[in-house]
Amino acid sequence: MAIHQPPTGARDLLPLDVAQKHWIETKLQDVFQRWGYQWIVTSTLERVDALVAGGSVRRDKVIQIYDSESEDLGLRPELTASIARAAVTRMAGVTHPQRLCYSANVFRKPPKGSASRQQEFFQSGVELLGAGGVAADVEVLLLLTDCLERSGVADWHLLLSEAGLTRSLLEPFPQPWRDRVRSAMARLDRLAIEAMPLDPALRDRALILFDLRGRPMDVIQQVGQLDLTPDQQAMLDRLKTTVDLLQDYGRATEQTLPIVLDLSLIQTFDYYTGIVFEAISSADTGHEILGQGGRYDQLLGLYDPDGNSYPGIGFCLNLEPLHRVLSSGERLPNQLPASDWLVVPAGPRARAAAFVYARRLRTEAPSLIRVELDLQPTVTRESARDRARARRIGRLAWVQEDGVIETETITKRKGPEAP
């Protein structure tokens, strides 16, 4: 057993990795709070029945754990189901809408045959609970846009679809061909659809649905030419209203929102009932799914003892792809912050006074400063200066055995003054 290696599918984040991840999370958290979202933390470990959300999340995606009481437990593969469970069971009676945000890790089994073995992922996201209607949809889409812009992601676009409409347009296909067509659409595998032994009329319909991708108004016009039921027409009208409002916002703010309507877009989790979307990067780093989400108006009812439900919509941003995209630019920190002070005891009897002075520096400065205590035996002041220079520390405090403090600047970098 290779105990010196992390388990398969896991990886360690070293200090610079953590600093860059924290930079991204801080940018996102700032945006969430500007939009009025409040933090929620749910359990990493949940009952498997809660995680699969009534079958909307495939059980084989859940990494399961069995406790001593033989209760089926699992690591969360996403946050929406856990937040829905917490909102229904722990936040009953609150006023709506509830704007909740999070930053957490999730765990998923990799698909069979997948080249990637990664099982742990980091996400930040939001859930807007108790708000239906187009205005709520547009708020979440614009919040996602704001997150990407403030993080400095330059080259991206938004794929937008309507889960209920796509699902209903697939209903003429008999099972199991419906699932196969749906899977081929999700994989963008046109050849698989062409090879299916379907009735020619159904194959043509599948290819029409597969090609419903492009400029929003062009796709809406194409769908409008199909033989739609009243319910399908209502879903299409709502989608058009959403697009119209987004475009009105773009004109008013002189922004071009990079929206592509793609009715072949099908999300991994099956609890979505309305709009679904993905933010895609097309930068030099390649195709990256930066975030995804959608509307789920029936999910919360699964966790209510009386079956009562209310609407919800949200998204998650995937921190690893965001990190890869931002790493190609100059926005992420490229080195760890250096300490401001190195406090050096002149000898063993000066160590207590050195600890006291280091505490004084940390607590009495008007803003955060980083203070290290030199733990190595110091023969000369020059050896202490060398250690400070090696660690990019700007100020040195030499503490004598009698408590006398002498300070000096080691580099030209400006640092906080001693109190």
Side-chain angles (χ1 to χ4, degrees), residues 7 39 73 157 175 261 330 386:
W39 291 102
L73 302 176
H157 60 276
Q175 292 287 11
L261 205 58
E330 299 180 353
D386 289 342

Side-chain angles (χ1 to χ4, degrees), residues 208-224:
I208 289 172
L209 298 181
F210 183 89
D211 290 332
L212 290 175
R213 182 184 308 110
R215 292 176 53 190
M217 289 307 167
D218 292 344
V219 175
I220 288 171
Q221 184 177 15
Q222 288 177 273
V223 178

Side-chain angles (χ1 to χ4, degrees), residues 35 37 126 128 133-149 156 158-161 238-239 241-247 249 257-259 261 265 275-279 292-295 313-315 317:
W35 284 68
Y37 284 72
V126 303
L128 175 56
V134 170
D137 293 350
V138 171
E139 172 175 319
V140 168
L141 292 170
L142 292 179
L143 173 52
L144 174 61
T145 298
D146 201 10
C147 287
L148 295 175
E149 289 177 347
W156 66 277
L158 185 72
L159 295 182
L160 179 63
S161 184
R238 172 169 169 150
L239 184 59
T241 303
T242 301
V243 171
D244 287 341
L245 186 51
L246 288 169
Q247 292 181 339
Y249 173 86
L257 299 179
I259 302 172
L261 205 58
L265 175 63
I275 65 164
V276 291
F277 48 90
E278 287 183 351
Q292 64 264 94
R295 173 164 288 285
I313 182 173
F315 66 77
L317 286 158

Side-chain angles (χ1 to χ4, degrees), residues 45-121:
L45 203 61
E46 293 266 11
R47 291 183 175 85
V48 172
D49 287 344
L51 293 176
V52 298
S56 298
V57 177
R58 288 172 47 181
R59 190 173 287 262
D60 61 7
K61 287 185 176 293
V62 178
I63 298 176
Q64 297 190 43
I65 297 173
Y66 302 93
D67 70 4
S68 58
E69 298 178 358
S70 299
E71 186 176 25
D72 288 353
L73 302 176
L75 301 175
R76 59 192 179 204
E78 50 88 54
L79 267 296
T80 301
S82 295
I83 292 175
R85 188 265 312 151
V88 169
T89 58
R90 304 293 302 279
M91 301 174 68
V94 299
T95 58
H96 287 143
Q98 281 289 303
R99 291 178 168 89
L100 305 174
C101 60
Y102 62 85
S103 190
N105 52 355
V106 298
F107 306 85
R108 294 183 203 139
K109 285 184 180 178
K112 290 184 179 179
S114 171
S116 172
R117 304 293 299 275
Q118 185 175 350
Q119 297 187 82
E120 183 178 12
F121 306 84

Side-chain angles (χ1 to χ4, degrees), residues 208-375:
I208 289 172
L209 298 181
F210 183 89
D211 290 332
L212 290 175
R213 182 184 308 110
R215 292 176 53 190
M217 289 307 167
D218 292 344
V219 175
I220 288 171
Q221 184 177 15
Q222 288 177 273
V223 178
Q225 293 173 353
L226 300 176
D227 185 17
L228 301 179
T229 66
D231 286 343
Q232 290 171 336
Q233 186 63 53
M235 287 184 279
L236 181 63
D237 290 343
R238 172 169 169 150
L239 184 59
K240 181 180 183 301
T241 303
T242 301
V243 171
D244 287 341
L245 186 51
L246 288 169
Q247 292 181 339
D248 289 345
Y249 173 86
R251 283 188 290 269
T253 57
E254 298 183 346
Q255 292 178 287
T256 300
L257 299 179
I259 302 172
V260 175
L261 205 58
D262 183 358
L263 291 190
S264 69
L265 175 63
I266 298 170
Q267 291 288 31
T268 304
F269 305 118
D270 225 8
Y271 45 63
Y272 293 109
T273 58
I275 65 164
V276 291
F277 48 90
E278 287 183 351
I280 307 293
S281 167
S282 49
D284 294 339
T285 51
H287 176 92
E288 297 273 13
I289 300 177
L290 303 178
Q292 64 264 94
R295 173 164 288 285
Y296 47 87
D297 285 351
Q298 299 170 9
L299 178 63
L300 285 93
L302 296 175
Y303 303 99
D304 189 275
D306 299 321
N308 298 321
S309 191
Y310 45 91
I313 182 173
F315 66 77
C316 70
L317 286 158
N318 304 313
L319 298 190
E320 288 95 338
L322 271 174
H323 182 266
R324 286 192 291 269
V325 168
L326 292 171
S327 293
S328 62
E330 299 180 353
R331 293 180 65 87
L332 292 180
N334 57 20
Q335 61 183 6
L336 295 171
S339 291
D340 300 291
W341 285 88
L342 179 66
V343 177
V344 185
R349 295 185 179 181
R351 285 182 294 195
F355 274 111
V356 170
Y357 186 69
R359 178 181 183 276
R360 181 182 172 193
L361 287 171
R362 296 184 187 109
T363 57
E364 295 184 13
S367 59
L368 170 67
I369 66 169
R370 297 175 174 85
V371 181
E372 294 184 21
L373 192 76
D374 193 350
L375 303 177

Side-chain angles (χ1 to χ4, degrees), residues 139-186:
E139 172 175 319
V140 168
L141 292 170
L142 292 179
L143 173 52
L144 174 61
T145 298
D146 201 10
C147 287
L148 295 175
E149 289 177 347
R150 289 180 181 268
S151 299
V153 180
D155 191 2
W156 66 277
H157 60 276
L158 185 72
L159 295 182
L160 179 63
S161 184
E162 219 292 347
L165 179 59
T166 299
R167 193 177 293 116
S168 69
L169 291 174
L170 288 169
E171 287 178 357
F173 295 90
Q175 292 287 11
W177 294 110
R178 185 185 308 167
D179 292 336
R180 295 181 184 178
V181 171
R182 183 178 187 272
S183 176
M185 290 173 62

Side-chain angles (χ1 to χ4, degrees), residues 387-407:
R387 285 200 287 273
R389 292 188 186 99
R391 299 179 64 82
R392 298 183 292 114
I393 299 175
R395 302 297 302 274
L396 185 146
W398 185 268
V399 182
Q400 303 286 355
E401 292 183 4
D402 59 3
V404 173
I405 311 295
E406 299 178 47
T407 65

